[in-house]
Amino acid sequence: GLTVWANNLGLQNIKVINYLREKAQEGNLLHRIIQVLLSEEDLVNKYGIHEVVNMLQDGAIFSQFCNNQRDNETLDLSVQQIDDIIDVVEKFLIWREENNFKMIGNIEVEKTVKNDKIGGTIDLLIDKIRYRGKEYNNVILDIKSSKSFYFDYFLQLGFYRFLLKENTQLDDVNCMVLTTAKNTEEVN
């Protein structure tokens, strides 16, 4: 599977490392947009989902997100990439509205394991959510824009859960992966 995928990229004259870097930049931008939209100001509550999506599509606020102050780089995205990111943001906002949850915050967790620095940023930490008829507390929510679900997601969430328990007072920690596949209506 992986060899065929890499070979197909090569046949399209796309270097695997460049493709992976581009997808990582898209993912980082997607998460940054969602974090800002869910910040204390909560633009979505103020303007509504459709107006925020219109602002993103019109470029009124999208270009601000493309300037990554942390890495001091400016992203050069195609129209299709921008449309895909906005599509995923809209699906997430609709899912959020349907599941009405309260965020605890964005928590940076970092720990050294066997002399290697392993860490990451939890996408969202939710205080309480009712999902599919059951209530969950202290939920790590990881947002993925892929239509596929990979075993690595379990490893990533397990690691985040371990770090969160080690570095906070939270005992009962649950995990969810939200897949908001591009160009589909699916949100799982």
Side-chain angles (χ1 to χ4, degrees), residues 161-177:
R161 186 171 188 241
F162 166 77
L163 289 177
L164 193 62
K165 284 181 153 189
E166 289 288 311
N167 294 290
T168 69
Q169 302 296 322
L170 298 175
D171 289 327
D172 180 30
V173 178
N174 296 285
C175 300
M176 293 177 104
V177 174

Side-chain angles (χ1 to χ4, degrees), residues 8-55:
N8 284 335
L9 286 179
L11 291 172
Q12 297 172 51
N13 203 23
I14 299 171
K15 293 183 179 181
V16 172
I17 191 73
N18 293 344
Y19 178 84
L20 293 174
R21 186 177 298 125
E22 181 180 287
K23 293 301 171 191
Q25 287 178 337
E26 288 176 25
N28 290 338
L29 179 59
L30 169 67
H31 290 92
R32 194 163 49 249
I33 291 171
I34 288 173
Q35 285 295 331
V36 169
L37 293 178
L38 297 179
S39 69
E40 291 177 30
E41 296 176 40
D42 201 345
L43 296 170
V44 178
N45 284 342
K46 187 173 181 182
Y47 296 106
I49 292 173
H50 298 294
E51 184 58 32
V52 168
V53 170
N54 286 337
M55 287 189 282

Side-chain angles (χ1 to χ4, degrees), residues 111-127:
K111 187 163 181 81
T112 302
V113 179
K114 291 186 182 179
N115 297 326
D116 292 327
K117 208 173 202 180
I118 299 175
T121 303
I122 295 171
D123 291 349
L124 295 173
L125 184 57
I126 299 171
D127 180 38

